[in-house]
Amino acid sequence: MWLKPEEVLLKNALKLWVLERSNEYFVLQRRRGYGEEGGGLAGLLVGTLDAVLDSTSKVAPFRILHQTPDSQVYWSIACGSNREEITKHWVWLEQNVMKTLSVFDSNEDITSFVQGKIRGLIAEESKGSLSKEEDPEKFREALMKFEKCFGLPEPEKLVTYYSCSYWKGRVPCQGWLYLSTNFLSFYSFLLGAEIKLVISWDEISKLERTSNVILTESIHVCSHGEDHYFSMFLHISETFLLMEQLALYTIRRLFDKETFKGDPVLHDPLQITKRGLESRARSEQFNAFFRLPKEETLREVHECFLWVPFNHYNTLGKMCISENYICFASQDGSLCCVIIPLREVVAVESSDPASKVVSISTKGAKAFRFSEVRDFEHLVEKLRGRCGTASSPQHVANVEVAASPSPDSLLDYYDGQPMASHKGNSKTVSTEALMTVFHPQDMENLDSKMLKEKMKEQSWNILFIECGRGVSTFRTRKTRDLIVRGIPEVLRGELWLLFSGAVNDMATNPGYYTELVEKSMGTCTLATDEIERDLCRSLPEHPAFQSDTGISALRRVLTAYAYRNPKIGYCQAMNILTSVLLLYSKEEEAFWLLVAVCERMLPDYFNRRIIGALVDQGVFEELIRDHLPQLTEHMTDMTFFSSVSLSWFLTLFISVLPIESAVNVVDCFFYDGIKAILQLGLAVLDYNMDRLLTCKDDAEAVMVLSRFFDSITNKDSPLPPAVQQASGTSEAKSQHPRVDITDLIRESNEKYGDICFEEVESMRHRNRLYVIQTLEATTKQNVLRVVSQDVKISPSDLEDLYELFKKEHFFSCYWNMNGPALKHHDPSLPYLDQYRIDCQQFRLLHHLLSPWARCANNDSLALWTFRLLDENLDGLINFKEFACILDAMYYGSFTHKLKLLFKLHIPPAFTEVESLSPSKGAQLSKEELIHFSLLKVSSPGDSEDDDALKRSPDKGKGKLDIQAYLKQWQDELLKKEENVKDLPRMNQSQFIQFSKTLYNLFHGDPEEELLYRAIATVTSLLLKMEEVGRKLHSPLGLPKRTAPSTASVGAENGNEPPEMSPTQQTDGAIPPIPSKDGEWSFAFEQILASLLNEPALVRFFEKPVDVRALLENAKAAQLKARARV
């Protein structure tokens, strides 16, 4: 590697370096202790120094210095991790630079030319990712050390590195932590003790910051049950953030199969940088806090003051700017918060240079005054430019609604009006909230509840006058207080749309929902079938969903969303949530609210594995331990809280609370997010603490909570008794006094309101890793339980085999963003088929694990084995098929192993294989391997196989045929042991290849010569039997065909078989039957009977296989094998 020229003091350097080569202008040196037998004390000291310190001259074992005659100044210009690399640089200097230097007159010119040349080479190399790093020179140095120490595949991208200590027991080892795209790596070398640690991100189940008496602050990493602690970081927060980002990125890319299209940071795993990850982490936090679209990227952050007109003071906070939004949050996060879409901005001014003021005016005569803004003039110019573009194409849709009312009539205009509109509404889309249709307010007969409702409305109207109404309203503590009391019925839909951020999605996508409805209606998928089944189960007691109006609106919203997001499609609980949304929102608004909930506020909740809900349950358990320790001590099994609270999270308490109370919870959810649900859950447990502590089992605890939910009411609800779900008749039977939902929510805010947004997001990240690994462990246990019934491999060996199989799948995905291997993992499939590998992946595992892998034609053998296993010709095999074939190789009897080899050399497994590159010999390229693996070879019974393939339930793009799956399963259960007489005969070319394979298998065996004699004898015997068979079946005499001799078979394979005894024959053998075209063939019984007569062959195939040694070697060599690929 070329280095930026730096002066070197040769006097001191001679203590650490040894001269290898030199000429008039350059010196090649070797690090003392490297390349020497033992290394001695000097080698230990130098190795320790290299591990601890960070300097160009103390990293690589070889370097090249530039010198000029009669000068004591030397310049380091190159270094290398091995002799080959540094020699290449030396030869390049001799061939390209040495001749040129002779034309210069002065040493200064020579040095200047060499330095310029080297800098030019570095600049050329740094055009890629290195140019994105803050200090390319130091990063190059670290990259070279990273590659030298760990030997990972070349595409692996080093993101950053840190000096730290790794705790091995109670002893800290100082070294370097390297964070790359797919691995966390650590290296230390102290006085001869080398520590090398490589952990892939997809194996990490726990990543957290910890502290104790010994380690004041450290990072805890848990992988495969092993704990690793790293401490003594200079910037531990930065380090942990990047580790968390890389771990979560890997989870999303490999397990969730996200492609990150349009994401400039993560779209290519080979281009990820530290700066990009840090920027993305800030953007994610920014979007989540302000409920902005996921596509927004945080561009700038300015600490400044915002003038709060209704309180007449400036509040200190941060102004955050993205492509389409200006947001402000005061320092405490809840005092004052503002979101200003650039589509609403009409003017940006810098009014007071002394106070560095930026004034922003929006539609509706609102103005926001930011002061003490750093570089305010430049910011004003940029905002003006963005507003000019933001008010055209995608943001024009909202101009009519926002600009039409005058300031005086703004309040009247918004009363009952939508927050955004779209043109060309389809007649099929409902434009009224169902509550206004089925429960219109009676303004003439106002009872006490309606009077309270009107008082709530008046309170909100006063707030609108003070803080503004619409998307750019001030959000303050008073806003939260009003939310806790419950949003008035007439304002609920409008404010849900505002606080969820759905108003922005709706404004920037005019007409999208109507178009989606037209496209999706009439489609028939698994999701639409499930939707139809659940329509009548959605709030069936409410009049709105006892009519076609409500049912049709619910069908349209759910079907449109399933069409929009097929990855989620439809999941149970979405119908309950959407029903409540439709009660208070117009149909299009309900759709965008559903989008906000499913894709931003409750990510990964609504899929088959409900990972998001499981993650938040983990967060809930953590909060219970922190805030309700006495409950944790009593309920030793925390899984109780997970089981009982799942419906709380999936339906936002709608399924356990009466509708009139549940909507108050939804109010808080749209304002505070998941934090509101967590707080309410803690309040529910706290309220029932005494009763829960007396419970003897989980069933009794469930009954306590069920009775409590039945006792919750909403005394201020204006809904008529026909709509309310709370039962008044059960009050006498209930052991609980009535609890008002407003009081319960207020108590949850008072007791647990200190739980902050950042804390919840951090716990979500931490628990996501644990949940994913727990689900993976469950998958593994189920697969091993099924497979262990069919194999003789021990449970521990089978588990290691599964890990190797799964790891090979992930290795194929690490360095390819859109590779086909990513599609081989599908968590929605049955456990056995969730992970599958293709022929290329199988070849690598076959070479590592097969006892026959040392065979010269091992590529062909791997190909034929794969073709034998791939019965449905989809180019993939699952773990059960993989384990069963290895089990036959490891523990099969002589007959079973021979039958396997026989089947590998007849169709459909066998196909003629010849590499396109003669120089590679028997080796096949990846493209050739895939081509041959999918090549169809005709064999007896093909027509039946084709019919079975057509009947296969997973073929075609239609709906899954459950009956076909059951029939297939039944056929497999009834499948009898394969009879050797059912095997087809082996023809001439197949037998020749079979003989070659046997010769290759024996190579390197201690009884190699004896085995060669035995196989030669068997081959000769079979060929003589062929001659006898031909005479018996051809009495009139056919043209005589000369069978290939055993000598020619061995010679073709590169082996010289020993001479065989002509007297070795077997009486009573079944003669082979020639085919119609005159070719001869052998039955399996003939080959088996002949081989059984040779004890050496029987001993070879019945020799026990050291499976444990094969597995250990495979685990150590798997990554290196992938690196070679």
Side-chain angles (χ1 to χ4, degrees):
M1 183 175 72
W2 300 109
L3 301 174
K4 181 181 177 181
E6 291 183 358
E7 287 190 26
V8 173
L9 296 176
L10 204 58
K11 180 179 179 182
N12 296 331
L14 288 175
K15 298 176 183 178
L16 302 174
W17 296 89
V18 178
L19 182 66
E20 288 266 312
R21 293 189 190 182
S22 67
N23 57 36
E24 189 177 359
Y25 298 105
F26 301 102
V27 176
L28 191 155
Q29 296 178 332
R30 172 177 51 82
R31 190 78 161 155
R32 190 178 294 276
Y34 286 90
E36 300 174 358
E37 289 295 330
L41 182 61
L44 292 178
L45 291 173
V46 171
T48 300
L49 201 60
D50 289 345
V52 176
L53 300 181
D54 180 20
S55 173
T56 303
S57 61
K58 300 184 180 74
V59 171
F62 297 95
R63 71 176 182 181
I64 296 175
L65 306 178
H66 164 60
Q67 65 172 353
T68 53
D70 304 324
S71 173
Q72 297 299 315
V73 178
Y74 287 74
W75 298 83
S76 62
I77 60 172
C79 63
S81 58
N82 53 60
R83 196 179 297 275
E84 290 75 19
E85 182 184 359
I86 203 69
T87 301
K88 187 184 297 182
H89 287 336
W90 180 267
V91 171
W92 189 90
L93 289 170
E94 286 186 328
Q95 293 178 351
N96 297 278
V97 179
M98 283 291 294
K99 296 178 182 179
T100 308
L101 297 182
S102 59
V103 304
F104 292 101
D105 296 329
S106 65
N107 292 339
E108 290 79 7
D109 293 342
I110 292 174
T111 301
S112 178
F113 174 80
V114 171
Q115 291 179 354
K117 189 69 176 176
I118 299 302
R119 287 194 179 97
L121 292 172
I122 293 173
E124 189 67 27
E125 289 180 353
S126 300
K127 284 182 178 178
S129 60
L130 293 180
S131 60
K132 302 176 184 178
E133 305 302 330
E134 295 176 1
D135 189 344
E137 201 58 43
K138 291 187 70 175
F139 191 82
R140 284 163 56 84
E141 172 191 329
L143 177 61
M144 193 197 68
K145 187 173 180 181
F146 170 71
E147 293 172 347
K148 168 180 172 286
C149 291
F150 303 105
L152 297 174
E154 187 178 346
E156 183 63 12
K157 172 74 167 61
L158 177 64
V159 177
T160 189
Y161 60 99
Y162 297 96
S163 173
C164 69
S165 290
Y166 171 66
W167 289 79
K168 195 172 184 182
R170 296 188 176 183
V171 180
C173 303
Q174 184 66 26
W176 291 91
L177 180 70
Y178 298 91
L179 308 181
S180 58
T181 308
N182 299 293
F183 298 96
L184 177 155
S185 312
F186 177 83
Y187 183 81
S188 173
F189 185 88
L190 296 172
L191 298 177
E194 183 181 55
I195 297 176
K196 191 182 295 186
L197 182 70
V198 178
I199 303 172
S200 57
W201 295 114
D202 58 84
E203 296 175 343
I204 293 177
S205 59
K206 186 177 289 186
L207 179 63
E208 60 184 354
R209 290 176 65 173
T210 59
S211 60
N212 54 40
V213 178
I214 301 175
L215 302 175
T216 54
E217 207 168 15
S218 62
I219 296 176
H220 173 211
V221 177
C222 181
S223 171
H224 290 301
E226 296 183 10
D227 294 312
H228 308 277
Y229 292 89
F230 303 90
S231 65
M232 300 184 189
F233 290 95
L234 188 60
H235 304 289
I236 190 168
S237 297
E238 173 191 298
T239 309
F240 181 75
L241 173 68
L242 289 171
M243 292 172 73
E244 190 176 65
Q245 284 284 301
L246 285 167
L248 292 173
Y249 167 64
T250 301
I251 291 295
R252 291 169 62 186
R253 185 166 67 92
L254 300 183
F255 292 98
D256 300 340
K257 297 190 294 183
E258 287 191 36
T259 56
F260 305 100
K261 290 181 179 178
D263 191 321
V265 177
L266 302 180
H267 73 285
D268 185 358
L270 306 184
Q271 299 297 326
I272 291 178
T273 63
K274 171 188 170 184
R275 189 182 304 169
L277 286 174
E278 290 173 337
S279 172
R280 197 176 192 283
R282 289 193 296 268
S283 295
E284 285 183 343
Q285 189 176 16
F286 164 72
N287 292 337
F289 183 83
F290 291 106
R291 309 279 167 74
L292 299 180
K294 292 164 63 174
E295 298 76 22
E296 290 299 307
T297 301
L298 180 61
R299 298 296 185 186
E300 301 177 53
V301 178
H302 300 272
E303 191 169 276
C304 62
F305 290 90
L306 172 63
W307 174 251
V308 185
F310 48 89
N311 285 336
H312 305 289
Y313 74 96
N314 282 308
T315 180
L316 177 63
K318 291 183 177 179
M319 178 169 57
C320 306
I321 302 172
S322 66
E323 295 93 336
N324 300 302
Y325 297 89
I326 303 170
C327 304
F328 178 89
S330 58
Q331 284 187 330
D332 62 0
S334 61
L335 179 63
C336 183
C337 178
V338 172
I339 301 171
I340 310 171
L342 293 184
R343 65 177 182 270
E344 297 287 326
V345 175
V346 294
V348 181
E349 304 292 338
S350 54
S351 55
D352 185 359
S355 300
K356 302 178 181 178
V357 172
V358 176
S359 297
I360 299 176
S361 302
T362 62
K363 300 166 186 175
K366 294 181 186 176
F368 300 89
R369 184 179 184 273
F370 299 92
S371 58
E372 300 301 327
V373 181
R374 189 188 68 240
D375 199 10
F376 70 103
E377 293 178 341
H378 183 55
L379 177 61
V380 167
E381 291 300 321
K382 283 197 289 187
L383 290 177
R384 284 174 178 169
R386 287 186 184 176
C387 291
T389 56
S391 60
S392 54
Q394 59 173 340
H395 301 285
V396 149
N398 204 40
V399 171
E400 295 177 20
V401 172
S404 57
S406 64
D408 297 332
S409 62
L410 186 66
L411 189 62
D412 296 330
Y413 173 81
Y414 269 107
D415 191 11
Q417 293 297 319
M419 298 294 294
S421 66
H422 64 265
K423 298 179 181 179
N425 260 338
S426 170
K427 293 181 180 179
T428 60
V429 176
S430 173
T431 57
E432 292 292 338
L434 295 178
M435 194 63 78
T436 62
V437 176
F438 289 89
H439 179 223
Q441 292 189 2
D442 187 357
M443 302 303 295
E444 297 179 358
N445 303 316
L446 296 179
D447 56 12
S448 59
K449 291 185 178 181
M450 285 304 300
L451 286 173
K452 287 184 179 180
E453 186 74 2
K454 286 299 173 183
M455 290 174 63
K456 281 186 186 179
E457 290 182 36
Q458 189 61 30
S459 298
W460 278 96
N461 289 335
I462 294 171
L463 181 71
F464 292 150
I465 293 171
E466 289 183 354
C467 302
R469 187 171 186 174
V471 68
S472 299
T473 183
F474 282 87
R475 307 175 194 201
T476 64
R477 284 201 180 107
K478 189 173 180 181
T479 310
R480 182 189 299 278
D481 293 339
L482 291 178
I483 291 285
V484 169
R485 289 171 54 190
I487 299 176
E489 299 278 308
V490 295
L491 296 176
R492 187 161 270 139
E494 175 187 330
L495 294 179
W496 283 0
L497 204 66
L498 172 65
F499 294 137
S500 67
V503 60
N504 295 310
D505 294 324
M506 189 169 168
T508 55
N509 294 279
Y512 175 81
Y513 174 67
T514 305
E515 182 182 346
L516 210 59
V517 168
E518 292 172 354
K519 288 181 178 178
S520 61
M521 293 308 290
T523 58
C524 185
T525 63
L526 188 61
T528 57
D529 289 348
E530 293 176 349
I531 290 169
E532 289 297 326
R533 188 171 59 247
D534 287 346
L535 285 176
C536 295
R537 305 175 188 174
S538 310
L539 298 186
E541 66 286 339
H542 198 285
F545 297 101
Q546 295 171 359
S547 71
D548 184 63
T549 303
I551 293 292
S552 297
L554 181 60
R555 177 187 292 112
R556 287 192 293 270
V557 172
L558 292 175
T559 305
Y561 186 79
Y563 188 87
R564 164 191 166 88
N565 191 346
K567 186 177 178 181
I568 293 178
Y570 170 76
C571 179
Q572 283 188 339
M574 288 173 68
N575 60 320
I576 298 174
L577 176 61
T578 308
S579 300
V580 175
L581 298 179
L582 283 168
L583 288 178
Y584 295 98
S585 307
K586 298 179 182 180
E587 189 175 319
E588 183 181 8
E589 295 171 346
F591 170 79
W592 287 113
L593 283 168
L594 183 64
V595 170
V597 171
C598 294
E599 298 177 13
R600 288 203 303 273
M601 302 184 73
L602 297 178
D604 294 330
Y605 260 60
F606 302 101
N607 54 37
R608 292 185 182 276
R609 300 200 293 174
I610 57 171
I611 290 174
L614 296 175
V615 169
D616 284 340
Q617 284 184 302
V619 174
F620 188 49
E621 289 180 14
E622 279 194 53
L623 293 173
I624 293 173
R625 292 189 191 97
D626 293 341
H627 296 275
L628 303 172
Q630 63 273 41
L631 192 59
T632 307
E633 293 170 5
H634 178 72
M635 310 279 291
T636 53
D637 186 6
M638 295 295 286
T639 56
F640 164 76
F641 298 110
S642 298
S643 60
V644 78
S645 65
L646 182 60
S647 62
W648 304 357
F649 291 96
L650 281 174
T651 65
L652 307 179
F653 283 92
I654 296 172
S655 62
V656 294
L657 289 177
I659 183 64
E660 66 275 10
S661 300
V663 290
N664 284 37
V665 178
V666 179
D667 294 342
C668 298
F669 168 74
F670 280 125
Y671 190 78
D672 277 329
I674 194 62
K675 174 175 174 284
I677 306 300
L678 295 168
Q679 289 176 182
L680 185 60
L682 291 173
V684 168
L685 296 178
D686 188 23
Y687 197 95
N688 294 276
M689 177 76 71
D690 295 337
R691 293 183 179 87
L692 290 173
L693 291 177
T694 60
C695 292
K696 298 178 181 178
D697 53 36
D698 291 353
E700 190 177 349
V702 170
M703 287 302 299
V704 167
L705 293 174
S706 178
R707 292 193 189 102
F708 172 74
F709 287 128
D710 289 341
S711 71
I712 292 178
T713 62
N714 186 350
K715 63 179 185 292
D716 296 333
S717 174
L719 296 180
V723 175
Q724 295 191 25
Q725 295 175 342
S727 173
T729 58
S730 62
E731 186 171 0
K733 299 179 182 180
S734 175
Q735 298 178 4
H736 281 280
R738 289 298 179 187
V739 179
D740 188 71
I741 187 64
T742 305
D743 297 334
L744 187 62
I745 291 174
R746 183 181 293 110
E747 185 178 339
S748 72
N749 272 275
E750 291 171 355
K751 285 189 174 182
Y752 309 109
D754 59 340
I755 299 172
C756 65
F757 162 81
E758 291 80 10
E759 181 185 359
V760 171
E761 287 301 309
S762 177
M763 287 192 287
R764 270 181 158 182
H765 290 163
R766 183 164 61 247
N767 280 278
R768 185 175 183 81
L769 297 175
Y770 176 75
V771 166
I772 289 290
Q773 295 302 338
T774 301
L775 291 173
E776 288 298 304
T778 302
T779 299
K780 180 172 75 172
Q781 291 167 6
N782 283 286
V783 170
L784 295 181
R785 186 177 65 250
V786 172
V787 175
S788 61
Q789 299 172 7
D790 299 328
V791 297
K792 299 176 183 178
I793 303 174
S794 68
S796 60
D797 289 346
L798 192 63
E799 184 175 354
D800 287 344
L801 200 63
Y802 178 84
E803 292 295 338
L804 288 165
F805 182 89
K806 178 181 169 183
K807 202 65 184 170
E808 188 57 42
H809 162 77
F810 281 134
F811 282 160
S812 302
C813 306
Y814 278 173
W815 302 284
N816 192 345
M817 194 69 221
N818 299 312
L822 278 169
K823 301 175 183 176
H824 301 171
H825 173 226
D826 188 352
S828 65
L829 291 175
Y831 288 119
L832 277 175
D833 291 326
Q834 286 189 16
Y835 286 102
R836 293 171 294 169
I837 59 174
D838 60 22
C839 192
Q840 164 70 359
Q841 296 163 322
F842 176 79
R843 172 172 66 170
L844 292 171
L845 287 175
H846 183 273
H847 291 356
L848 291 172
L849 294 167
S850 171
W852 303 338
R854 62 186 178 187
C855 181
N857 62 333
N858 53 6
D859 274 7
S860 300
L861 207 58
L863 169 65
W864 299 330
T865 307
F866 181 85
R867 288 173 59 86
L868 179 67
L869 296 175
D870 185 22
E871 294 181 359
N872 61 356
L873 298 178
D874 64 351
L876 299 170
I877 63 170
N878 62 29
F879 177 71
K880 183 178 180 180
E881 296 164 332
F882 176 74
C884 287
I885 201 73
L886 286 180
D887 181 68
M889 296 179 186
Y890 293 159
Y891 298 109
S893 64
F894 173 78
T895 303
H896 281 103
K897 291 180 180 178
L898 191 64
K899 184 170 71 172
L900 173 59
L901 279 172
F902 184 88
K903 291 169 71 176
L904 294 181
H905 291 82
I906 58 174
F910 180 77
T911 180
E912 294 289 346
V913 175
E914 184 177 350
S915 176
L916 299 178
S917 175
S919 61
K920 290 185 178 180
Q923 291 186 2
L924 299 174
S925 68
K926 179 180 177 180
E927 292 74 17
E928 292 169 344
L929 197 71
I930 293 174
H931 166 72
F932 288 125
S933 70
L934 299 176
L935 195 65
K936 185 170 182 180
V937 179
S938 60
S939 64
D942 268 357
S943 58
E944 291 86 349
D945 292 343
D946 289 343
D947 293 339
L949 202 60
K950 291 175 184 177
R951 294 194 302 268
S952 180
D954 56 352
K955 293 296 174 186
K957 299 181 180 179
K959 295 185 292 183
L960 296 177
D961 189 344
I962 305 300
Q963 294 297 327
Y965 268 119
L966 293 174
K967 179 68 169 61
Q968 191 181 50
W969 181 49
Q970 184 180 21
D971 292 343
E972 289 178 0
L973 291 176
L974 297 176
K975 191 180 292 183
K976 296 180 180 179
E977 180 74 20
E978 186 178 35
N979 195 317
V980 294
K981 293 183 179 180
D982 298 332
L983 292 174
R985 300 175 68 84
M986 181 180 283
N987 66 27
Q988 179 176 332
S989 61
Q990 293 161 3
F991 178 73
I992 293 173
Q993 186 59 58
F994 177 76
S995 302
K996 287 183 182 181
T997 300
L998 289 177
Y999 275 115
N1000 289 329
L1001 285 177
F1002 304 148
H1003 182 68
D1005 191 89
E1007 294 186 330
E1008 181 178 359
E1009 184 176 349
L1010 191 60
L1011 289 166
Y1012 281 161
R1013 289 180 179 276
I1015 195 60
T1017 301
V1018 169
T1019 308
S1020 175
L1021 173 63
L1022 288 169
L1023 293 176
K1024 288 181 179 180
M1025 288 169 58
E1026 185 269 342
E1027 292 294 333
V1028 173
R1030 291 181 64 82
K1031 291 177 181 178
L1032 289 175
H1033 289 86
S1034 305
L1036 300 178
L1038 293 172
K1040 190 171 182 179
R1041 290 171 57 98
T1042 304
S1045 68
T1046 54
S1048 65
V1049 172
E1052 281 187 45
N1053 197 49
N1055 299 315
E1056 291 295 335
E1059 295 181 3
M1060 58 183 175
S1061 171
T1063 60
Q1064 292 174 313
Q1065 296 182 20
T1066 302
D1067 296 332
I1070 302 173
I1073 301 173
S1075 60
K1076 294 179 181 180
D1077 59 357
E1079 283 196 358
W1080 45 267
S1081 62
F1082 293 112
F1084 174 72
E1085 304 99 296
Q1086 294 174 287
I1087 297 176
L1088 175 63
S1090 303
L1091 291 175
L1092 281 171
N1093 285 330
E1094 296 297 330
L1097 293 173
V1098 176
R1099 284 197 305 273
F1100 174 82
F1101 282 105
E1102 292 191 342
K1103 183 166 49 180
V1105 178
D1106 190 347
V1107 178
R1108 173 46 47 188
L1110 274 174
L1111 290 171
E1112 291 299 329
N1113 292 335
K1115 286 193 283 187
Q1118 189 178 21
L1119 187 55
K1120 293 180 181 178
R1122 174 59 62 173
R1124 287 194 294 271
V1125 174

